[in-house]
């Protein structure tokens, strides 16, 4: 681990600068969460609307009470079970949390990321880091330092390379201020896993497009999206769609969980058959498909089973159903 880079990151963050940090889910664009001027730079760099709240990243649950009030016991039980890890909890915000962090809401989203470099940064920084995914607003989240450099290289003061993200999709967001408790964004940790720890029902929250100021920005219908038009299609209609596209004189890239004889590398991107490995490389492969400069990205739909929920959610936003 590069100690010099870690110390540099801590120093820059203390000075109110932006540092891209690795996490197990996706790379984050971090700033001192207690410094409104520093946090403002995040919104500018990403081109993100100011009403979209950010997640505060902390080293561990010991500092939860710095950021939240009326913390229920279940928050500590969840931290014990899943932190550091891909779980973000929405709690009542402490009065000291700058409103720019929470988009003016009275709740705050908090998580402890599981990456050794970022854990060291947080421990030395001794504070909270506001960090959305380190991509331009609406674009695909970055899962390597290279992705961050391409999207935001000029706007960031330092990018810490911590290798490719091992989970590959953003954290599960659970709202502990609602009854029943709701998942606002599905991720690697499921409603069932959460429910098993807290012994309470946990539901998946359905967001509507009509919501004016979305509590979860990933709830916008088009998000996490490649620049190339992208569609998703049922396995049985896949080969017909490829033929049709070509007959119109158009080129396509295909993400499928099986080989397709009509398409070859690099336009054919064979995806893993299990949801964990699929999620891990999904964003990287969507970015790769974008680079191929084809007319259309065709994604084979994934199984409609609970294990695939996080992947289904991201594909629903990255592609149009046909
Ligand atoms: O895995 C992750 O969560 C990554 C890494 C970097 O930690 N971060 C991430 O941040 O995905 P971002 O900003 O791209 O997504 C944060 C989500 C947004 O959809 C935001 O609306 C939601 O968290 N959020 C933040 N504060 C909230 C609050 N008080 N209530 C409800 N949702 C909130
Ligand atoms: Mg994001």
């Amino acid at each position: 681990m590069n100690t010099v880079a870690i110390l540099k990151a801590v120093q820059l963050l203390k000075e109110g600068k932006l540092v891209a940090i690795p996490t197990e889910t996706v790379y984050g664009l971090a700033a001192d969460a207690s410094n409104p001027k520093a946090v403002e730079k995040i919104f500018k760099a990403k081109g993100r609307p100011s009403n979209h709240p950010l997640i505060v990243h902390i080293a561990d649950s010991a500092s939860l009470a710095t950021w939240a009030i009326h913390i229920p016991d279940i928050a500590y039980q969840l931290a014990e079970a899943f932190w550091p890890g891909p779980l973000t909890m929405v709690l009542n915000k402490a009065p000291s949390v700058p409103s720019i962090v929470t988009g003016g809401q009275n709740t705050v989203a908090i998580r402890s990321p599981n990456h050794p470099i970022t854990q060291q940064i947080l421990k030395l920084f001794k504070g909270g880091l506001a960090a959305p995914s380190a991509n331009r607003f609406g674009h695909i989240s970055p899962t390597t330092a290279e992705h961050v450099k391409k999207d935001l290289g000029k706007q960031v003061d330092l990018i810490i390379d911590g290798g490719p993200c091992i989970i590959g999709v953003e954290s599960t967001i659970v709202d502990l201020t609602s009854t029943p408790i709701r998942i606002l964004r599905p991720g690697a940790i499921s409603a069932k896993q959460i429910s098993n720890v807290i012994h309470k029902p946990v539901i998946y929250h359905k967001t509507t497009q009509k919501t004016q100021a979305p509590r979860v920005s990933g709830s916008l219908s088009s998000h996490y999206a490649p620049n190339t038009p992208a569609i998703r299609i049922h396995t049985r209609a896949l080969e017909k769609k490829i033929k049709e596209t070509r007959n119109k004189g158009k080129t396509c890239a295909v993400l499928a969980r099986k080989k397709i004889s009509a398409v070859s590398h690099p336009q054919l991107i064979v995806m893993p058959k299990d949801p964990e490995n699929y999620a891990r490389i999904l964003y990287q492969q969507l970015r790769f498909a974008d680079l191929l400069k084809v007319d259309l990205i065709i994604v084979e739909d994934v199984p409609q089973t609970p294990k695939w929920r996080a992947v289904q959610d991201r594909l629903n936003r990255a592609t149009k159903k046909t």
Side-chain angles (χ1 to χ4, degrees), residues 113 141 144 204 247 273:
S141 295
T144 66
Y204 282 98
N247 287 345
K273 290 191 172 56

Side-chain angles (χ1 to χ4, degrees), residues 2-302:
N2 188 340
T3 317
V4 176
I6 290 172
L7 292 175
K8 181 80 190 158
V10 174
Q11 184 201 332
L12 289 169
L13 290 163
K14 292 254 178 244
E15 290 168 5
K17 306 246 166 75
L18 297 184
V19 177
I21 53 168
T23 85
E24 78 282 34
T25 57
V26 300
Y27 274 72
L29 180 62
D32 180 353
S34 68
N35 178 347
K37 283 212 172 95
V39 176
E40 208 183 310
K41 291 180 189 166
I42 294 178
F43 288 91
K44 279 216 179 101
K46 285 195 57 144
R48 177 170 167 131
S50 59
N51 62 355
H52 287 236
L54 305 173
I55 296 173
V56 176
H57 295 69
I58 57 177
D60 52 52
S61 63
S63 59
L64 255 183
T66 309
W67 303 94
I69 51 171
H70 312 310
I71 304 169
D73 286 345
I74 52 169
Y76 288 100
Q77 291 165 11
L78 289 174
E80 180 69 28
F82 301 116
W83 279 6
L87 180 71
T88 296
M89 299 190 233
V90 172
L91 295 163
N92 290 300
K93 125 190 204 319
S96 58
V97 183
S99 67
I100 188 168
V101 173
T102 59
Q105 303 186 72
N106 54 11
T107 54
V108 60
I110 308 177
R111 112 171 168 98
S112 172
N114 188 12
H115 191 290
I117 296 180
T118 294
Q119 273 291 326
Q120 285 234 11
I121 292 174
L122 284 166
K123 282 184 182 127
L124 293 168
F125 181 69
K126 295 194 177 73
L129 294 175
S133 50
N135 52 281
R136 280 182 295 103
F137 181 68
H139 193 220
I140 306 166
S141 295
T143 54
T144 66
E146 192 63 35
H147 295 162
V148 181
K149 202 170 162 192
K150 278 204 180 127
D151 258 30
L152 298 172
K154 292 203 179 83
Q155 287 101 310
V156 187
D157 297 290
L158 178 66
I159 299 172
I160 301 277
D161 190 345
C165 301
I166 56 170
I167 289 184
V169 292
E170 300 82 351
S171 60
T172 303
I173 302 181
V174 62
D175 184 356
L176 299 185
T177 68
S178 65
T179 315
I181 286 159
R182 301 176 304 175
I183 303 281
L184 301 180
R185 180 176 69 186
I189 295 170
S190 67
K192 192 157 176 254
Q193 282 174 286
I194 293 171
S195 179
N196 285 347
V197 170
I198 62 178
H199 307 293
K200 281 178 194 274
V202 178
I203 59 163
Y204 282 98
H205 177 58
K206 277 247 179 320
T207 45
T208 68
Q209 280 172 261
K210 287 177 198 129
T211 319
Q212 282 272 304
R215 287 167 69 88
V216 177
S217 63
S219 69
L220 293 177
S221 65
S222 169
H223 210 81
Y224 313 114
N227 298 319
T228 313
I231 58 164
R232 64 183 188 283
I233 193 153
H234 198 279
T235 309
R236 58 173 181 265
L238 194 57
E239 303 204 21
K240 187 165 158 256
K241 187 74 196 174
I242 295 166
K243 257 191 208 146
E244 254 175 46
T245 308
R246 287 180 170 164
N247 287 345
K248 285 184 199 152
K250 295 196 166 168
T251 55
C252 60
V254 179
L255 269 71
R257 283 167 287 116
K258 56 168 188 178
K259 286 206 172 131
I260 295 164
S261 51
V263 193
S264 52
H265 179 80
Q267 282 79 17
L268 175 68
I269 298 166
V270 179
M271 296 297 287
K273 290 191 172 56
D274 67 288
E276 288 81 20
N277 282 309
Y278 192 109
R280 187 167 52 75
I281 64 166
L282 173 62
Y283 289 159
Q284 184 191 321
Q285 298 296 28
L286 284 175
R287 280 175 180 261
F288 176 72
D290 237 358
L291 290 177
L292 296 173
K293 299 277 175 235
V294 289
D295 298 310
L296 184 66
I297 299 171
I298 302 176
V299 183
E300 178 194 6
D301 221 343
V302 295

